[in-house]
Amino acid sequence: MQKKKPSKAAPMTAAEAVVATLIGHRLDTVYALPGVQNDFLFEALFKFSDRLRTVHTRHEQGAAYMALGAALATGKPQAYAVVPGPGLLNSAAALLTAFSMNAPMLALVGQIPDADIGKGLGHLHEIRDQKGIIERLVDHTALIRKPEQASRATALALRAMRTGRPGPAALECAIDMWGRSAPVILQPPLPVPAPRLDIDAIRRAAKRLGAAKRPLIICGGGAQDAAVEVTALSAMLQAPVLGYRRGRGVLDSRDPLSVTLPLGHELWGEADVVLGVGTRLLMQFREWGAGRDVTVIRIDADRAEHHRWRRPTIALTGDAKPILQKLLAELPAYNAKRTSRRAEMKERQAAWRKRMGKLAPQIAFLDAIRAELPENGILVDEVTQIGFAARLLFPVYQPRTFLSPGYQDNLGWGFATALGAQDARRDVPVVAISGDGGFMFTASELATAMRHRIPLVTIVFNDGAFGNVRRIQQERFGNRLIGSDLANPDFVPFAKSFGAEAARANGPDELRTALRRALAHRDGPTVIEVPVGAMPSPWEFIHMERFV
Ligand SMILES: Cc1ncc(C[n+]2csc(CCOP(=O)(O)OP(=O)(O)O)c2C)c(N)n1
Ligand SMILES: [Mg+2]
């Protein structure tokens, strides 16, 4: 029930109500690919185009990945629009990834005529039980059946995307419903309910952490908005902080207490109290072993997540930031006297760097990128050799500046996701790294980058193969190579044919020079092709031994 009417009813189409509500929630862009079911939606997008941009792509996966990248880079809700059936399915990998990465992304999906939904008549783009398909992909979905409902349905979806564990939502609307008019009251943003802080549990956590001899903090994607608090807690406890992939950048890599995966693994074996912040602790529980007598304290926005692997000693439910703020206030009363662990961590990190020297070819490229990418620049990772090494070794200085796909680890996400990140953060440079395999999933979106003048810099490491698969076939399957060698375009003229800037860089030094030039070009995209050979395997540093 609403107490006060937020605005006067005005005649609007359902589509106008949705778009006006997006604007009322401070969204400024919709990533979209049109089609007849959504013509009235695009008519509304035209009408409001002074306040909300429409960025159209060349494939629906491009639109959805762009919205995902924009959501990950900004931490704010983003939207995309597609036709039903094939349009929805084309966007589905990105929607799935948004779910697994807890990214607030709204899908606006067309539908066949309202009265015929579910009848199987064979309308254009009809798909059986579209609602059911969407329900397998997102937690919140609704079908707009009246223009009067459209604004509130949109606000409810946007609230659901930010409630508890964030994530995607979807709204369906039929071909004959988007354009229907009625008096509409626009729904302003609804308050997002926050779980009550469990002060007792936070105090118990403070006692445990305060008494810990060798505390360890592990961060996931849910810690990205709590960097200040994690940094303060780490200093107070002299606790090393492990971030891998989605947790990277929460503690600045230049802080000696910021540790990467292999050292984090070692520290897991020594820790007496572990604090997990916005992480499922999957690698720790599944691979490193949780049978040992270690106190596990978890902070997670999703109550159900705490117990999936193993009941934690203390479970704190809610956003990391307010919980950590309270924990920081409680901790001094219980905290043991701490001696600095910085020198120890520096030394141990250096020892690991030496061991990881085996990855020298990857490291040389990462060093070149880091040297040119400004501190607040964003690196978007891919499922490629340089990407695997980046997750381990690329220094990350600020939150939300290293975007790595969640557990889907879906090849081909990188380029279009990076385009979205760069589109939403025009103020900072974004660099995408990908293999020749991954890049070609969405390379046609170079046309989108040109059309919308998105200054993304993409580095394509070209080994003429699905290299990761190829190496596995060589090493584990007696060199029986199948489905892993690739025929590629000549990437430089390919990119240039779109109008993009393009260069070939042989080796890390040339990459650095090319990158400097590319980062200075802000009027459109640049592609840098780097021819490479097979690379040393990173897997021994990623999948490590079990303790118990
Ligand atoms: C959607 C999806 N399909 C398939 C895979 C399996 N896969 C993982 S890595 C890889 C090859 C990557 O090739 P490329 O992008 O060229 O990177 P490289 O390993 O050669 O550096 C494949 C096919 C995947 N992770 N995701
Ligand atoms: Mg390759």
Side-chain angles (χ1 to χ4, degrees):
M1 279 278 288
Q2 258 194 259
K3 285 201 190 100
K4 55 178 185 197
K5 296 278 180 210
S7 61
K8 271 213 166 123
M12 268 191 193
T13 65
E16 287 166 356
V18 169
V19 175
T21 307
L22 294 179
I23 293 167
H25 283 71
R26 308 178 78 89
L27 275 78
D28 57 16
T29 307
V30 171
Y31 301 94
L33 203 150
V36 68
Q37 290 84 0
N38 288 349
D39 281 350
F40 280 94
L41 173 60
F42 279 74
E43 173 75 353
L45 289 170
F46 180 84
K47 183 170 172 180
F48 287 102
S49 55
D50 57 333
R51 279 179 284 165
L52 186 123
R53 297 181 312 138
T54 297
V55 173
H56 59 302
T57 61
R58 302 304 289 267
H59 186 285
E60 283 91 355
Q61 75 172 335
Y65 277 131
M66 282 188 79
L68 175 61
L72 293 172
T74 61
K76 298 198 178 105
Q78 304 288 342
Y80 77 92
V82 291
V83 294
L88 168 67
L89 295 184
N90 282 343
S91 77
L95 202 51
L96 172 67
T97 309
F99 179 80
S100 43
M101 298 182 78
N102 309 308
M105 174 167 112
L106 178 65
L108 301 172
V109 186
Q111 252 293 9
I112 62 161
D114 190 73
D116 289 348
I117 294 174
K119 291 186 181 160
L121 300 175
H123 281 283
L124 175 70
H125 301 342
E126 182 167 358
I127 185 168
R128 277 188 293 169
D129 193 15
Q130 177 164 285
K131 177 169 182 283
I133 291 166
I134 293 172
E135 276 173 351
R136 297 296 173 278
L137 297 169
V138 302
D139 281 334
H140 179 102
T141 181
L143 171 67
I144 296 167
R145 299 209 92 145
K146 283 182 183 164
E148 299 91 313
Q149 295 171 341
S151 180
R152 189 163 167 81
T154 307
L156 285 169
L158 286 159
R159 181 175 72 175
M161 286 153 62
R162 293 162 57 231
T163 302
R165 187 181 191 141
L171 290 173
E172 291 176 278
C173 188
I175 182 170
D176 54 337
M177 194 56 61
W178 282 127
R180 203 169 291 178
S181 279
V184 165
I185 295 168
L186 288 181
Q187 176 66 57
L190 295 158
V192 176
R196 197 181 50 83
L197 290 187
D198 184 344
I199 305 296
D200 278 356
I202 293 174
R203 193 162 295 144
R204 273 186 286 125
K207 284 182 186 166
R208 291 276 192 153
L209 284 164
K213 297 238 158 13
R214 300 185 80 79
L216 170 66
I217 300 171
I218 303 181
C219 290
Q224 286 292 341
D225 293 327
V228 171
E229 291 74 16
V230 169
T231 305
L233 187 66
S234 161
M236 217 181 256
L237 292 167
Q238 283 302 295
V241 176
L242 166 62
Y244 176 59
R245 303 188 59 184
R246 305 219 43 232
R248 305 221 47 216
V250 175
L251 186 62
D252 187 326
S253 294
R254 291 166 295 195
D255 187 325
L257 291 173
S258 166
V259 302
T260 56
L261 193 68
L263 179 54
H265 170 260
E266 223 171 78
L267 293 165
W268 170 263
E270 301 165 10
D272 54 349
V273 181
V274 172
L275 173 68
V277 184
T279 166
R280 293 171 304 130
L281 293 171
L282 176 78
M283 197 169 243
Q284 287 72 31
F285 287 154
R286 195 175 71 114
E287 297 187 29
W288 300 357
R292 212 161 43 85
D293 185 25
V294 56
T295 298
V296 175
I297 302 167
R298 292 187 60 172
I299 301 175
D300 203 288
D302 182 356
R303 198 173 295 280
E305 193 58 60
H306 288 306
H307 307 293
R308 289 219 160 99
W309 275 96
R310 176 187 121 146
R311 187 168 290 275
T313 316
I314 301 168
L316 305 169
T317 303
D319 284 348
K321 198 178 184 69
I323 292 175
L324 286 172
Q325 281 171 346
K326 186 70 193 154
L327 187 62
L328 282 166
E330 293 286 329
L331 189 60
Y334 308 107
N335 199 12
K337 248 192 142 40
R338 306 273 171 192
T339 49
S340 172
R341 293 192 76 186
R342 287 172 196 272
E344 177 203 345
M345 289 306 145
K346 242 186 191 159
E347 212 169 278
R348 293 175 74 173
Q349 193 84 329
W352 267 110
R353 275 209 160 250
K354 222 178 194 167
R355 285 164 79 173
M356 287 197 274
K358 189 195 149 193
L359 304 178
Q362 291 98 312
I363 291 170
F365 286 121
L366 292 175
D367 286 348
I369 299 170
R370 188 66 277 181
E372 292 303 322
L373 186 66
E375 194 161 314
N376 59 0
I378 297 173
L379 186 73
V380 182
D381 171 29
E382 247 284 3
V383 193
T384 174
Q385 303 314 306
I386 304 292
F388 299 144
R391 297 167 188 185
L392 292 168
L393 286 154
F394 189 73
V396 185
Y397 303 143
Q398 295 181 14
R400 295 194 184 281
T401 59
F402 182 73
L403 307 184
S404 183
Y407 59 81
Q408 294 303 331
D409 225 2
N410 42 337
L411 186 64
W413 95 306
F415 175 58
T417 302
L419 269 183
Q422 181 67 91
D423 182 63
R425 291 292 314 272
R426 299 255 173 177
D427 54 322
V428 296
V430 179
V431 170
I433 47 174
S434 63
D436 46 334
F439 177 63
M440 289 295 281
F441 274 52
T442 61
S444 55
E445 301 301 349
L446 268 172
T448 306
M450 285 307 298
R451 179 71 181 77
H452 299 280
R453 293 281 164 196
I454 302 172
L456 174 69
V457 177
T458 306
I459 309 171
V460 181
F461 292 93
N462 180 8
D463 63 350
F466 286 136
N468 203 55
V469 177
R470 196 174 196 278
R471 193 180 49 227
I472 291 170
Q473 292 173 349
Q474 282 174 324
E475 291 178 359
R476 287 201 237 145
F477 294 88
N479 205 29
R480 289 184 291 282
L481 302 178
I482 179 154
S484 56
D485 284 312
L486 300 175
N488 281 320
D490 190 342
F491 285 106
V492 173
F494 173 76
K496 281 188 175 163
S497 74
F498 286 87
E501 293 290 311
R504 182 168 293 116
N506 291 296
D509 291 342
E510 283 188 27
L511 173 61
R512 201 171 157 181
T513 311
L515 203 47
R516 188 172 308 165
R517 188 169 312 131
L519 289 169
H521 169 65
R522 301 298 291 165
D523 188 36
T526 303
V527 174
I528 303 171
E529 184 205 5
V530 182
V532 291
M535 300 223 181
S537 168
W539 295 111
E540 70 199 74
F541 305 113
I542 295 171
H543 295 297
M544 287 167 290
E545 68 180 17
R546 200 175 182 83
F547 288 102
V548 273

